[in-house]
Amino acid sequence: MLMDLLLRIALAGVLGGLIGLERQMRAKEAGLRTHILVGIGSAMFMIVSKYGFDDILNQTHIGLDPSRIAAQVVSGMGFLGAGTIIIQKQMVKGLTTAAGLWVTAAIGLVIGSGLYEIGIYGTVLALVVLEVFRRISHWLIGQHHTLIVQLKPKSVPSVLLALQKDRIRYGQISVVNRDKESGLCELTIEVTLARSVSGSNLYEHLLEVKGVESVEVH
Protein backbone atom coordinates (compact mmCIF):
# COMPACT_ATOMS: atom_id res chain seq x y z
CA MET A 1 0.00 0.00 0.00
CA LEU A 2 2.79 2.42 0.91
CA MET A 3 4.64 1.88 -2.38
CA ASP A 4 1.44 2.46 -4.30
CA LEU A 5 0.89 5.79 -2.55
CA LEU A 6 4.50 6.85 -3.17
CA LEU A 7 4.04 5.94 -6.83
CA ARG A 8 0.94 8.10 -7.04
CA ILE A 9 2.79 11.14 -5.68
CA ALA A 10 5.74 10.65 -8.03
CA LEU A 11 3.55 10.05 -11.07
CA ALA A 12 1.46 13.15 -10.33
CA GLY A 13 4.68 15.17 -10.19
CA VAL A 14 5.93 13.73 -13.48
CA LEU A 15 2.66 14.36 -15.31
CA GLY A 16 2.44 17.87 -13.93
CA GLY A 17 6.04 18.42 -14.98
CA LEU A 18 5.22 17.57 -18.58
CA ILE A 19 2.68 20.37 -18.69
CA GLY A 20 5.06 22.69 -16.86
CA LEU A 21 7.84 21.91 -19.34
CA GLU A 22 5.66 23.05 -22.22
CA ARG A 23 4.81 26.25 -20.36
CA GLN A 24 8.46 26.94 -19.51
CA MET A 25 9.48 26.43 -23.13
CA ARG A 26 7.03 29.23 -23.95
CA ALA A 27 8.61 31.42 -21.23
CA LYS A 28 5.34 31.61 -19.31
CA GLU A 29 4.81 32.75 -15.74
CA ALA A 30 4.51 29.29 -14.16
CA GLY A 31 6.95 26.69 -15.44
CA LEU A 32 8.34 23.24 -14.70
CA ARG A 33 8.86 23.45 -10.95
CA THR A 34 5.53 25.15 -10.25
CA HIS A 35 3.54 22.51 -12.12
CA ILE A 36 5.47 19.66 -10.48
CA LEU A 37 4.74 21.08 -7.04
CA VAL A 38 1.05 21.54 -7.89
CA GLY A 39 0.82 17.93 -9.08
CA ILE A 40 2.60 16.53 -6.02
CA GLY A 41 0.62 18.69 -3.60
CA SER A 42 -2.72 17.80 -5.15
CA ALA A 43 -1.91 14.09 -5.04
CA MET A 44 -0.92 14.33 -1.37
CA PHE A 45 -4.10 16.21 -0.52
CA MET A 46 -6.17 13.52 -2.22
CA ILE A 47 -4.29 10.76 -0.41
CA VAL A 48 -4.86 12.48 2.92
CA SER A 49 -8.50 12.99 2.00
CA LYS A 50 -8.98 9.29 1.23
CA TYR A 51 -6.70 7.55 3.72
CA GLY A 52 -5.56 10.08 6.31
CA PHE A 53 -8.36 9.51 8.78
CA ASP A 54 -8.56 5.71 8.89
CA ASP A 55 -7.39 5.66 12.50
CA ILE A 56 -10.42 7.57 13.76
CA LEU A 57 -13.08 6.40 11.32
CA ASN A 58 -13.40 3.12 13.23
CA GLN A 59 -15.04 5.03 16.04
CA THR A 60 -18.82 4.87 15.76
CA HIS A 61 -19.54 8.49 16.67
CA ILE A 62 -17.35 10.00 13.91
CA GLY A 63 -18.33 10.46 10.28
CA LEU A 64 -16.22 12.28 7.71
CA ASP A 65 -16.73 13.36 4.11
CA PRO A 66 -13.62 12.17 2.20
CA SER A 67 -14.20 14.70 -0.58
CA ARG A 68 -13.92 17.83 1.55
CA ILE A 69 -10.13 18.24 1.36
CA ALA A 70 -10.09 17.54 -2.39
CA ALA A 71 -12.82 20.13 -2.90
CA GLN A 72 -10.71 22.75 -1.14
CA VAL A 73 -7.85 22.08 -3.57
CA VAL A 74 -10.08 23.10 -6.46
CA SER A 75 -11.02 26.41 -4.86
CA GLY A 76 -7.50 26.99 -3.56
CA MET A 77 -6.04 26.68 -7.04
CA GLY A 78 -8.00 29.79 -7.96
CA PHE A 79 -5.64 31.90 -5.86
CA LEU A 80 -2.53 30.37 -7.39
CA GLY A 81 -3.95 30.68 -10.89
CA ALA A 82 -4.86 34.31 -10.28
CA GLY A 83 -1.21 34.97 -9.44
CA THR A 84 -0.16 33.97 -12.96
CA ILE A 85 -2.65 36.33 -14.63
CA ILE A 86 -1.01 39.63 -15.39
CA ILE A 87 -2.93 42.81 -16.14
CA GLN A 88 -0.37 45.04 -17.77
CA LYS A 89 -1.25 48.20 -19.67
CA GLN A 90 -4.87 47.06 -19.74
CA MET A 91 -3.81 43.76 -21.38
CA VAL A 92 -4.71 40.46 -19.72
CA LYS A 93 -2.10 37.70 -20.01
CA GLY A 94 -1.52 34.34 -18.36
CA LEU A 95 -4.99 32.82 -18.66
CA THR A 96 -3.70 29.69 -20.43
CA THR A 97 -1.03 29.16 -17.78
CA ALA A 98 -3.63 29.59 -15.04
CA ALA A 99 -5.84 27.01 -16.75
CA GLY A 100 -2.81 24.70 -17.04
CA LEU A 101 -2.23 24.91 -13.29
CA TRP A 102 -5.91 24.15 -12.70
CA VAL A 103 -5.71 21.07 -14.95
CA THR A 104 -2.47 20.00 -13.25
CA ALA A 105 -4.24 20.13 -9.89
CA ALA A 106 -7.04 17.97 -11.31
CA ILE A 107 -4.49 15.47 -12.63
CA GLY A 108 -2.84 15.33 -9.20
CA LEU A 109 -6.19 14.66 -7.53
CA VAL A 110 -7.04 11.94 -10.04
CA ILE A 111 -3.66 10.23 -9.65
CA GLY A 112 -3.85 10.58 -5.87
CA SER A 113 -7.17 8.75 -5.90
CA GLY A 114 -5.59 5.87 -7.85
CA LEU A 115 -7.16 6.49 -11.26
CA TYR A 116 -3.90 6.21 -13.19
CA GLU A 117 -5.40 5.81 -16.65
CA ILE A 118 -7.59 8.90 -16.28
CA GLY A 119 -4.67 10.99 -15.06
CA ILE A 120 -2.38 9.93 -17.91
CA TYR A 121 -5.18 10.46 -20.44
CA GLY A 122 -5.86 13.93 -19.04
CA THR A 123 -2.18 14.83 -19.29
CA VAL A 124 -1.98 13.74 -22.92
CA LEU A 125 -5.10 15.75 -23.77
CA ALA A 126 -3.74 18.83 -21.99
CA LEU A 127 -0.47 18.62 -23.94
CA VAL A 128 -2.38 18.18 -27.20
CA VAL A 129 -4.42 21.30 -26.46
CA LEU A 130 -1.37 23.35 -25.44
CA GLU A 131 0.92 22.32 -28.29
CA VAL A 132 -1.02 20.86 -31.23
CA PHE A 133 -3.98 23.20 -30.99
CA ARG A 134 -1.60 26.15 -30.67
CA ARG A 135 -0.06 25.26 -34.01
CA ILE A 136 -3.48 24.71 -35.59
CA SER A 137 -4.60 28.10 -34.26
CA HIS A 138 -1.53 29.81 -35.72
CA TRP A 139 -2.09 28.08 -39.06
CA LEU A 140 -5.79 28.88 -39.32
CA ILE A 141 -6.06 32.20 -37.50
CA GLY A 142 -2.54 33.58 -37.25
CA GLN A 143 0.02 34.26 -34.57
CA HIS A 144 -0.60 36.76 -31.80
CA HIS A 145 1.91 39.52 -31.16
CA THR A 146 2.12 42.62 -29.01
CA LEU A 147 3.20 45.89 -30.63
CA ILE A 148 4.73 48.60 -28.47
CA VAL A 149 5.03 51.85 -30.43
CA GLN A 150 6.64 55.07 -29.22
CA LEU A 151 5.02 57.90 -31.17
CA LYS A 152 3.49 61.34 -31.09
CA PRO A 153 -0.11 61.32 -29.82
CA LYS A 154 -1.47 62.68 -33.12
CA SER A 155 0.05 59.68 -34.96
CA VAL A 156 -2.05 57.05 -33.15
CA PRO A 157 -4.89 57.13 -35.75
CA SER A 158 -2.29 56.85 -38.54
CA VAL A 159 -0.86 53.68 -37.03
CA LEU A 160 -4.30 52.11 -36.71
CA LEU A 161 -5.08 53.10 -40.28
CA ALA A 162 -1.82 51.51 -41.48
CA LEU A 163 -2.79 48.25 -39.76
CA GLN A 164 -6.19 48.33 -41.41
CA LYS A 165 -4.65 48.91 -44.83
CA ASP A 166 -2.42 45.87 -44.29
CA ARG A 167 -5.52 43.90 -43.22
CA ILE A 168 -3.97 43.15 -39.86
CA ARG A 169 -6.47 42.33 -37.17
CA TYR A 170 -5.90 44.06 -33.87
CA GLY A 171 -7.57 43.71 -30.51
CA GLN A 172 -6.93 45.50 -27.25
CA ILE A 173 -5.35 48.95 -27.49
CA SER A 174 -3.67 50.87 -24.70
CA VAL A 175 -2.20 54.38 -24.82
CA VAL A 176 0.05 55.57 -21.99
CA ASN A 177 0.08 59.28 -21.26
CA ARG A 178 2.54 61.46 -23.10
CA ASP A 179 6.03 61.90 -21.68
CA LYS A 180 6.59 65.59 -20.90
CA GLU A 181 10.24 65.65 -21.96
CA SER A 182 10.00 63.81 -25.29
CA GLY A 183 6.37 64.59 -26.07
CA LEU A 184 5.85 60.93 -27.02
CA CYS A 185 3.27 58.42 -25.81
CA GLU A 186 3.38 54.63 -25.80
CA LEU A 187 0.82 52.71 -27.85
CA THR A 188 0.36 49.01 -27.07
CA ILE A 189 -1.67 46.90 -29.51
CA GLU A 190 -2.51 43.19 -29.59
CA VAL A 191 -2.38 42.05 -33.22
CA THR A 192 -2.86 38.78 -35.09
CA LEU A 193 -0.47 38.20 -37.98
CA ALA A 194 -1.37 35.79 -40.75
CA ARG A 195 1.28 33.44 -42.11
CA SER A 196 1.82 35.74 -45.10
CA VAL A 197 2.77 38.69 -42.86
CA SER A 198 6.11 38.75 -41.08
CA GLY A 199 6.93 40.73 -37.99
CA SER A 200 9.92 42.37 -39.70
CA ASN A 201 7.77 43.71 -42.56
CA LEU A 202 5.25 45.10 -40.09
CA TYR A 203 8.09 46.68 -38.13
CA GLU A 204 9.46 48.49 -41.19
CA HIS A 205 6.00 49.58 -42.34
CA LEU A 206 5.08 51.15 -39.01
CA LEU A 207 8.39 53.00 -38.82
CA GLU A 208 7.41 54.74 -42.05
CA VAL A 209 4.38 56.30 -40.38
CA LYS A 210 4.98 59.96 -39.61
CA GLY A 211 5.46 60.61 -35.91
CA VAL A 212 6.53 57.04 -35.02
CA GLU A 213 9.86 56.96 -33.20
CA SER A 214 10.29 53.26 -32.38
CA VAL A 215 8.47 49.93 -32.73
CA GLU A 216 8.81 46.72 -30.72
CA VAL A 217 7.22 43.45 -31.85
CA HIS A 218 6.81 40.80 -29.13
Side-chain angles (χ1 to χ4, degrees), residues 138-210:
H138 289 173
W139 184 73
L140 293 176
I141 302 174
Q143 193 165 359
H144 299 290
H145 292 274
T146 301
L147 301 181
I148 301 178
V149 186
Q150 301 288 337
L151 74 173
K152 295 181 179 179
K154 293 183 179 180
S155 300
V156 172
S158 299
V159 170
L160 299 180
L161 184 60
L163 294 176
Q164 291 177 357
K165 287 182 177 180
D166 290 341
R167 296 182 179 179
I168 295 176
R169 291 171 295 179
Y170 58 87
Q172 298 185 66
I173 301 173
S174 171
V175 180
V176 178
N177 293 333
R178 180 172 57 184
D179 184 84
K180 294 182 179 180
E181 295 183 1
S182 64
L184 301 177
C185 66
E186 184 177 276
L187 173 65
T188 304
I189 313 175
E190 294 287 332
V191 299
T192 303
L193 300 183
R195 290 182 298 163
S196 58
V197 180
S198 66
S200 58
N201 291 338
L202 177 61
Y203 173 84
E204 295 175 357
H205 191 187
L206 291 180
L207 282 179
E208 295 175 355
V209 177
K210 185 178 180 180

Side-chain angles (χ1 to χ4, degrees), residues 1 5-6 25 51-53 75 87 92 112 121-122 142 150 153 160-161 165-166 175 187 208 213:
M1 180 64 177
L5 297 181
L6 296 179
M25 290 173 61
Y51 309 110
F53 307 100
S75 59
I87 302 178
V92 180
Y121 180 71
Q150 301 288 337
L160 299 180
L161 184 60
K165 287 182 177 180
D166 290 341
V175 180
L187 173 65
E208 295 175 355
E213 294 293 329

Side-chain angles (χ1 to χ4, degrees), residues 49 54 68 87 116 169 204-205 215 218:
S49 186
D54 288 344
R68 291 183 65 183
I87 302 178
Y116 298 110
R169 291 171 295 179
E204 295 175 357
H205 191 187
V215 178
H218 298 282

